[in-house]
Amino acid sequence: MAAVIRTDKLTKSYGSHRGIVDVDLEVQQGEVFGFLGPNGAGKTTTIRVLLDLIRPTSGKAFVFEIESSADPNAIHRRIGYLPGEFALYDRLTGLQTLEYFGNLRGGVDKVYQAQLIERFDLDPSRRFREYSKGNKQKVGLVAALQNKPDLLMLDEPTSGLDPLVQQTFFEVMRERVADGGTVFLSSHVLNEVERSCDRVAIIRDGRIVQTGRVDALRDLAHHQVELRFAAEPPVAEFDKLPGVTDVAVENHLIRMRVLGPITPVVQAAARLGVTDFLSREPSLEETFLALYGRESAEVKS
């Protein structure tokens, strides 16, 4: 099966500033491909090169087996695109905005457009300048979806959406895939990619650091745990548990990082008389810092 997206050592530099470096990607038809990384990692730059909105410094990008700079119009006709920063004509209503984008494609299925508007709970009569951030995002999503594109290119698509609308978005996205579409989804939210994507590439400082099935994300996940005891904390009991690192003590409080299953820590805490237990999954930024921070510091030194 031919790849819908393929890049070969794709590089984009902004003078002395880093963009992306030697990015190799391959996205197959019918998959939801997550492009994951902290803000500023190079996700948006990659998408813009794929769409020929900017030209690469070196390397090549292919979409539908067409080199991105050779015939971008042929690529754009088959794509639904949501940029990370979505701003349009303030005086147009939501519906006028959708019709404008639809007409650029030669018209849309009005019934499907109306279904999307209803499912995203969008008021299409209001002017764009009157919309909240979340409602502007809804307009962008409907505009990207309404032509039933072969490829959805989505840059931080759930930004500003409430949880119910996010759920609707993932349902509609999966329907598009079931109809033969492909999704390239850029995000910095770890659990968003984990719940919605089939495969994922992780980018850091402009370079791909990991690519594979989304199950591999679970190897990155860890928890920050705080345990409070009435007496002096039994630090040694936790130091020896699997996956426990970075143990620190402050008065009657123990802080630790737990990689993998948290069950052994919970069982030990209960047995040792814990009085308060707090666990949270860190942000992707924190995860990257924990996993790659030391390496980055060594490189910089």
Side-chain angles (χ1 to χ4, degrees):
M1 183 182 297
V4 174
I5 294 173
R6 178 168 56 87
T7 67
D8 180 20
K9 297 190 180 303
L10 194 63
T11 298
K12 174 62 180 178
S13 300
Y14 299 98
S16 60
H17 299 287
R18 186 267 307 153
I20 54 175
V21 183
D22 292 339
V23 169
D24 291 329
L25 291 173
E26 190 166 299
V27 180
Q28 301 298 325
Q29 180 182 351
E31 71 176 341
V32 180
F33 191 92
F35 198 41
L36 183 64
N39 292 326
K43 303 187 299 297
T44 297
T45 294
T46 302
I47 290 176
R48 288 175 176 170
V49 173
L50 288 171
L51 294 174
D52 196 46
L53 301 178
I54 56 177
R55 293 286 172 89
T57 304
S58 62
K60 293 184 178 181
F62 299 86
V63 183
F64 305 119
E65 292 300 314
I66 302 169
E67 188 173 355
S68 61
S69 60
D71 192 353
N73 289 335
I75 294 172
H76 293 174
R77 281 194 290 268
R78 301 175 61 184
I79 282 180
Y81 171 49
L82 177 69
E85 296 181 3
F86 187 66
L88 287 173
Y89 303 109
D90 284 347
R91 296 184 179 181
L92 293 184
T93 66
L95 184 59
Q96 288 171 333
T97 300
L98 296 174
E99 289 177 341
Y100 170 77
F101 281 109
N103 290 336
L104 290 176
R105 303 292 187 89
V108 297
D109 182 341
K110 295 292 187 179
V111 174
Y112 183 61
Q113 182 191 70
Q115 289 173 348
L116 290 173
I117 290 172
E118 181 179 1
R119 292 178 69 177
F120 282 106
D121 192 24
L122 174 67
D123 179 358
S125 66
R126 299 182 64 181
R127 297 186 187 277
F128 198 76
R129 67 187 176 198
E130 299 172 349
Y131 283 133
S132 65
K133 162 65 175 173
N135 281 316
K136 288 179 180 178
Q137 196 76 352
K138 292 178 186 179
V139 174
L141 286 171
V142 175
L145 289 159
Q146 65 182 353
N147 292 91
K148 300 181 179 180
D150 295 325
L151 173 62
L152 279 167
M153 301 278 285
L154 307 172
D155 195 353
E156 305 285 352
T158 62
S159 176
L161 299 181
D162 65 53
L164 289 178
V165 178
Q166 288 184 27
Q167 182 177 344
T168 298
F169 160 70
F170 288 122
E171 290 172 356
V172 174
M173 183 184 71
R174 278 294 176 185
E175 290 166 6
R176 183 85 286 278
V177 172
D179 287 338
T182 303
V183 179
F184 186 86
L185 187 153
S186 162
S187 179
H188 70 279
V189 183
L190 187 68
N191 60 5
E192 175 178 286
V193 173
E194 187 172 16
R195 70 187 262 203
S196 63
C197 298
D198 303 308
R199 287 196 307 128
V200 63
I202 298 172
I203 187 168
R204 171 182 174 269
D205 292 339
R207 296 180 182 271
I208 302 296
V209 295
Q210 185 173 339
T211 304
R213 298 291 303 176
V214 75
D215 294 347
L217 285 177
R218 296 187 179 94
D219 295 336
L220 288 179
H222 68 274
H223 292 80
Q224 299 287 354
V225 176
E226 293 185 1
L227 306 174
R228 186 174 295 278
F229 293 85
E232 184 177 346
V235 178
E237 294 291 334
F238 294 98
D239 268 330
K240 64 185 181 182
L241 294 179
V244 173
T245 59
D246 303 333
V247 179
V249 181
E250 182 180 344
N251 297 324
H252 291 176
L253 185 70
I254 301 180
R255 293 187 177 90
M256 67 190 74
R257 177 172 178 262
V258 183
L259 180 64
I262 198 172
T263 303
V265 173
V266 174
Q267 292 173 339
R271 175 171 51 84
L272 296 166
V274 67
T275 60
D276 193 16
F277 185 108
L278 175 64
S279 172
R280 70 177 182 89
E281 187 175 341
S283 68
L284 184 63
E285 299 277 358
E286 292 171 313
T287 301
F288 268 55
L289 182 61
L291 291 174
Y292 302 114
R294 181 177 302 175
E295 174 190 343
S296 177
E298 290 174 352
V299 170
K300 290 178 181 179
S301 64

